[in-house]
DNA sequence: AAAATAAGCAACCGCTATTCT
DNA sequence: TAGAATAGCGGTTGCTTATTT
């Protein structure tokens, strides 16, 4: 804290004001060295946090809204090919971030894959706590790669088996998840100029 | 209607790779 | 060339919201 002469560093969810500061600063100065950017912009955040916020949420190219069925298919194909190489996968989905794809995979796809796995194995239906959810990977050997999946879905059948997953496409509209839309922020930013 | 549980997601952490001095 | 600083990645956490009991 300040009392110790250490600059206070904010953590946790970003406020609208912080977002505007970051957008405004980058609009005027461009992206740069994130630590000094945070400092110059007057944000009490570390550079890492600013970079993440910018790349995952504020960047104008970030595509909001639900993953389409085409995107879902692509994610599954690429994950089958490369495993958890989220940033690599994200490069093939314009406007989608590695974080978004990772979350999507873990929350929407993985459970179906694992269920399929289980049904094949022994048809269990144990409930998992949220903590269990986070430890699912630990069941898998050292690192969770495409291999366990490939055991169940070999490449030629991989996409064909999409139907078997019965993944609900576009089930939830989370475009307003963060209280204000990016359109709002950008129009505010334009007004500020 | 309330409590418990599950799901979804933003953001953090720790580590490695790359770049700079 | 070595060490420091920065960028990037993947795993994980914790909060909020939705669903179920």
């Amino acid at each position: 804290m300040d009392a110790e002469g250490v600059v206070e560093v904010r953590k946790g969810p970003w406020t609208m004001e912080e977002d505007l500061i970051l957008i405004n600063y980058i609009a005027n100065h461009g992206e740069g060295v994130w630590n000094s950017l945070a400092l110059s912009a007057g944000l009490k955040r570390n550079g890492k946090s600013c970079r993440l916020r910018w790349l995952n949420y504020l960047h104008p190219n970030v595509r909001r809204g639900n993953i389409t069925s085409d995107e879902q298919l692509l994610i599954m194909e690429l994950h089958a090919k490369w495993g958890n190489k989220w940033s690599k996968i994200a490069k093939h989905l314009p406007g989608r971030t590695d974080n978004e794809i990772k979350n999507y995979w873990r929350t929407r796809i993985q459970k179906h894959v694992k269920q399929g796995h289980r049904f094949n194995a022994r048809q269990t239906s144990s409930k998992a706590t949220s903590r269990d959810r986070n430890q699912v990977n630990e069941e898998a050997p050292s690192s969770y790669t495409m291999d366990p999946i490939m055991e169940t879905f070999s490449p030629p059948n991989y996409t064909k088996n999409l139907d078997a997953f019965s993944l609900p496409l576009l089930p939830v509209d989370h475009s307003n998840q963060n209280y204000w839309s990016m359109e709002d922020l950008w129009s505010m930013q334009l007004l500020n100029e």
Side-chain angles (χ1 to χ4, degrees):
Chain A
M1 291 292 274
D2 289 331
E4 294 163 13
V6 177
V7 179
E8 148 198 18
V9 179
R10 268 184 54 77
K11 286 186 182 181
W14 279 64
T15 64
M16 185 180 185
E17 193 182 5
E18 288 176 311
D19 280 347
L20 284 171
I21 291 172
L22 186 55
I23 290 173
N24 197 36
Y25 188 90
I26 292 178
N28 290 323
H29 303 91
E31 297 175 38
V33 179
W34 290 104
N35 276 334
S36 53
L37 184 152
L39 217 60
S40 314
L43 287 163
K44 290 171 179 167
R45 296 270 180 174
N46 60 29
K48 215 170 172 176
S49 178
C50 294
R51 175 187 163 272
L52 199 71
R53 183 63 178 171
W54 174 251
L55 293 179
N56 281 345
Y57 195 82
L58 299 176
H59 194 285
N61 288 347
V62 171
R63 190 170 160 197
R64 313 307 303 170
N66 298 294
I67 301 281
T68 67
S69 52
D70 284 347
E71 287 174 320
Q72 178 181 294
L73 200 62
L74 194 54
I75 290 170
M76 297 183 77
E77 285 174 356
L78 296 180
H79 187 271
K81 206 192 285 184
W82 296 323
N84 296 2
K85 298 298 173 190
W86 306 117
S87 64
K88 197 173 176 182
I89 294 171
K91 286 187 174 76
H92 290 73
L93 288 107
R96 301 298 186 186
T97 67
D98 53 353
N99 208 35
E100 188 178 11
I101 293 169
K102 176 172 59 183
N103 278 334
Y104 184 79
W105 172 264
R106 297 181 80 89
T107 60
R108 316 282 184 95
I109 300 178
Q110 188 178 58
K111 65 183 173 188
H112 294 270
V113 172
K114 291 212 73 102
Q115 267 169 17
H117 208 52
R118 276 211 184 112
F119 286 141
N120 286 348
R122 66 187 109 119
Q123 184 93 350
T124 60
S125 60
S126 60
K127 288 183 182 175
T129 64
S130 65
R131 182 51 45 88
D132 292 334
R133 200 161 32 93
N134 290 331
Q135 295 184 342
V136 156
N137 274 353
E138 263 110 67
E139 293 174 15
S142 58
S143 65
Y144 180 75
T145 68
M146 66 179 143
D147 294 337
I149 299 163
M150 300 302 283
E151 284 171 20
T152 312
F153 308 105
S154 55
N157 297 330
Y158 191 70
T159 54
K160 223 170 56 183
N161 273 301
L162 272 176
D163 286 343
F165 293 142
S166 303
L167 287 183
L169 293 170
L170 318 180
V172 185
D173 178 10
H174 53 76
S175 54
N176 293 326
Q177 199 77 29
N178 218 23
Y179 317 118
W180 58 88
S181 71
M182 284 311 300
E183 288 74 17
D184 293 339
L185 283 171
W186 278 98
S187 56
M188 285 179 226
Q189 141 70 16
L190 290 174
L191 285 173
N192 280 344
E193 278 184 341

